[in-house]
Amino acid sequence: MIDDLKPYPEYKDSGLPWMGQIPSHWILRRIKSVLQETDSRSSKGTGTLLSLTRVRGLISRRDMTDKVQSAKTLVGYKEFKPGQLVMNRMQAWSGMFGSGDTEGLVSPDYAVFRILGEDRTKFLLERLKAPDLVSQFALESKGIGSGFNRLYSDRFGAISISAPTPDEQAAIVRFLGHLNRRVDQAIRSKRKLIALLNEQKQAIIQKAVTRGLDPNVPLKDSGIPWLGQIPAHWDVTRLLSVCKFRSGRAHEPFVEPDGDHVCVNSRFVSTQGARVKRCTRNLMPANMHDVLMVMSDLPNGRALARAYYVSDEQSYAVNQRVCCLTAHGINSKFLYYYSNRNHQLLQEDDGSNQTHLPNSAFTKLLVVLPPPSEQIKIVGKLDSQVAVLDKQAVLESRAMDHLIEYRTRLVSDVVTGKLDVRAAAAKLPPELEESDSVAESEDLDELDDEAVEEAA
């Protein structure tokens, strides 16, 4: 059905170079004739605090973070009602608009609009996120520096927007809801597959670094409760007896894509980080074959004890949330495989989760120590097995990215009138007309990000 989509029969010149041609029956209006800003403020400061997200729209702040709100009072916050639209003034240039089904309060720096006519909320949201309008929002945003530009209501309202009749908008929303269901299902399937590949990889690593490669080797009790038995000829020792431990230092780097260092923090070890051009002098370098490990968790709770193996000669600058292990009595790659997501570091003695690991947690870490020649064999076997799984995960991750790009491009083509979906929408089952917004699906970015990051 999607493959059969065609342009509209007739087009007309919009008169705007940045918009180009639009379907001949579509209407061109100023945004101020479609949306009217409201500025109703809370006098009591009571109500649900809402936050604007890119995928899930306007949702309760409690649903997106466990952090306590920084504002001491919500008095003066803007009131939002279902059916209205919200714009993040500082992010309008990136299409940061949203709506929601929950009445509540939003930041005073947001702009809240009500729809003046019969235009469909879900259609307007996607139309406002289309590249042609977003480019104009960027041009009209004013301020000091790109990160502090705001799109003020007078400039926003003066921009033109093209749209069909409300009935055709409803057909477009119905079609895009169907599109999102299909794409989301495919993305979920790929994310689940990536998660399974990651689980398989972790199981292979865990078995190799705790039992070795010989399934028939005699075993003995390791003395480590979570580990159980290990090969009888292996030793157990303290981390400090086989490597040098160094904690990172506080620094605030200046981020630059083509910089001289790689800034290593808890997010880097999770996502392979950002280059920095200049850093303060208070740095702790990491060298080739060092193992970097996260000591303080990220807000999403998925970075703690994540390890990264330094396999190049790039200059690294490690901050205080990360420690550096330099092996001298153990194969450094074996140490990496053993330490990544290590059970001892992820749990206290009582089994409760931690958010920060003190230096003592690392210095007291017990590590298994096979003979040097066996460590090399284990690393070689793991490198080859992990490479196969990682390659497949990367392919699935890229396919998922292509799906997201395809949807983004198709949505833009539909809401700007480049493709006619009226006939396709008419063929959809009636039960699909409601319940799904154009971009209302579960926030896919929150589905098993750890596995996806492994594949990235």
Side-chain angles (χ1 to χ4, degrees):
M1 180 179 66
I2 293 177
D3 294 335
D4 296 333
L5 296 180
K6 297 179 180 179
Y8 283 84
E10 296 182 3
Y11 288 84
K12 64 184 178 182
D13 187 4
S14 67
L16 300 169
W18 56 268
M19 184 178 292
Q21 290 190 326
I22 61 175
S24 58
H25 63 286
W26 282 32
I27 301 172
L28 194 64
R29 295 170 287 173
R30 301 283 188 183
I31 290 179
K32 64 183 178 183
S33 68
V34 180
L35 300 174
Q36 182 182 58
E37 186 174 9
T38 65
D39 194 6
S40 178
R41 305 286 182 126
S42 173
S43 59
K44 297 181 179 179
T46 57
T48 302
L49 178 61
L50 305 175
S51 292
L52 185 55
T53 66
R54 294 190 182 279
V55 177
R56 299 169 65 188
L58 201 62
I59 62 173
S60 170
R61 180 175 173 81
R62 292 192 300 270
D63 293 340
M64 63 177 295
T65 179
D66 294 329
K67 289 184 177 180
V68 179
Q69 65 189 56
S70 57
K72 295 181 179 179
T73 177
L74 300 181
V75 172
Y77 273 55
K78 292 183 178 179
E79 295 177 332
F80 168 83
K81 296 181 179 179
Q84 295 178 332
L85 297 182
V86 174
M87 172 179 71
N88 183 333
R89 295 186 188 277
M90 295 182 66
Q91 292 292 323
W93 57 268
S94 64
M96 198 67 165
F97 296 82
S99 187
D101 299 323
T102 303
E103 184 173 335
L105 306 177
V106 299
S107 167
D109 202 39
Y110 286 174
V112 181
F113 300 93
R114 70 180 184 90
I115 300 174
L116 293 175
E118 298 180 357
D119 294 278
R120 303 301 176 109
T121 303
K122 296 171 184 178
F123 172 83
L124 289 179
L125 274 177
E126 292 304 313
R127 184 66 188 93
L128 291 170
K129 296 176 183 179
D132 61 342
L133 282 177
V134 169
S135 65
Q136 295 305 301
F137 299 155
L139 290 174
E140 295 297 332
S141 296
K142 303 298 178 183
I144 303 175
S146 59
F148 298 95
N149 287 346
R150 286 180 171 83
L151 180 60
Y152 294 100
S153 298
D154 57 340
R155 292 181 175 272
F156 175 64
I159 298 172
S160 295
I161 185 173
S162 60
T165 63
D167 288 343
E168 189 172 340
Q169 292 179 28
I172 290 174
V173 169
R174 185 163 59 251
F175 173 84
L176 293 181
H178 172 71
L179 169 68
N180 274 295
R181 281 185 290 273
R182 292 182 61 183
V183 173
D184 288 350
Q185 183 179 15
I187 292 175
R188 286 191 185 93
S189 296
K190 293 190 176 299
R191 281 183 175 267
K192 289 178 180 178
L193 178 55
I194 291 173
L196 290 173
L197 290 169
N198 188 54
E199 290 177 7
Q200 183 181 358
K201 180 175 71 174
Q202 290 303 118
I204 291 173
I205 293 173
Q206 178 70 12
K207 183 177 180 180
V209 300
T210 59
R211 292 294 181 92
L213 303 178
D214 182 1
N216 300 315
V217 67
L219 302 176
K220 68 177 180 181
D221 183 24
S222 66
I224 305 174
W226 70 269
L227 183 56
Q229 291 187 318
I230 62 173
H233 63 289
W234 287 19
D235 294 325
V236 177
T237 187
R238 294 283 183 181
L239 177 73
L240 284 185
S241 67
V242 293
C243 73
K244 178 181 179 181
F245 171 87
R246 293 177 294 160
S247 59
R249 302 173 183 173
H251 62 278
E252 295 295 334
F254 174 81
V255 177
E256 182 68 30
D258 298 320
D260 301 322
H261 301 83
V262 171
C263 172
V264 179
N265 51 35
S266 55
R267 188 171 296 276
F268 169 90
V269 178
S270 181
T271 62
Q272 303 302 303
R275 292 184 180 278
V276 297
K277 183 159 187 167
R278 295 187 300 274
C279 299
T280 62
R281 295 180 180 178
N282 192 22
L283 299 177
M284 192 274 290
N287 303 309
M288 191 170 179
H289 305 307
D290 283 347
V291 177
L292 309 177
M293 293 194 66
V294 177
M295 301 178 68
S296 294
D297 213 349
L298 292 171
N300 61 22
R302 287 189 287 264
L304 195 66
R306 180 70 67 83
Y308 172 69
Y309 180 72
V310 180
S311 59
D312 53 45
E313 297 181 356
Q314 171 68 48
S315 178
Y316 290 84
V318 184
N319 84 351
Q320 74 272 25
R321 294 179 180 271
V322 179
C323 70
C324 180
L325 306 177
T326 302
H328 55 70
I330 188 173
N331 183 284
S332 57
K333 194 67 174 291
F334 180 87
L335 176 64
Y336 157 73
Y337 280 129
Y338 179 83
S339 301
N340 190 28
R341 310 304 281 172
N342 187 286
H343 183 87
Q344 296 176 77
L345 298 177
L346 289 174
Q347 294 189 343
E348 295 271 16
D349 292 340
D350 61 2
S352 62
N353 291 330
Q354 303 180 82
T355 58
H356 177 74
L357 297 172
N359 292 358
S360 58
F362 284 89
T363 57
K364 294 179 181 178
L365 176 66
L366 294 175
V367 296
V368 295
L369 197 63
S373 60
E374 192 171 351
Q375 294 179 38
I376 294 175
K377 291 180 180 179
I378 291 173
V379 167
K381 185 68 172 179
L382 286 179
D383 282 348
S384 61
Q385 291 180 317
V386 166
V388 173
L389 296 173
D390 282 347
K391 182 179 180 180
Q392 182 61 40
V394 167
L395 291 176
E396 296 299 330
S397 181
R398 289 175 180 172
M400 186 170 59
D401 290 340
H402 292 157
L403 281 170
I404 295 173
E405 293 172 2
Y406 167 76
R407 171 168 54 186
T408 300
R409 183 172 62 254
L410 183 55
V411 169
S412 175
D413 286 346
V414 170
V415 299
T416 57
K418 292 180 175 62
L419 292 174
D420 185 354
V421 301
R422 291 174 295 181
K427 297 177 182 178
L428 295 175
E431 61 268 20
L432 296 182
E433 294 185 15
E434 301 298 332
S435 79
D436 279 13
S437 72
V438 172
E440 186 186 22
S441 59
E442 183 179 1
D443 190 345
L444 296 173
D445 289 338
E446 295 298 323
L447 295 177
D448 205 354
D449 279 330
E450 179 177 338
V452 175
E453 286 171 358
E454 288 282 348

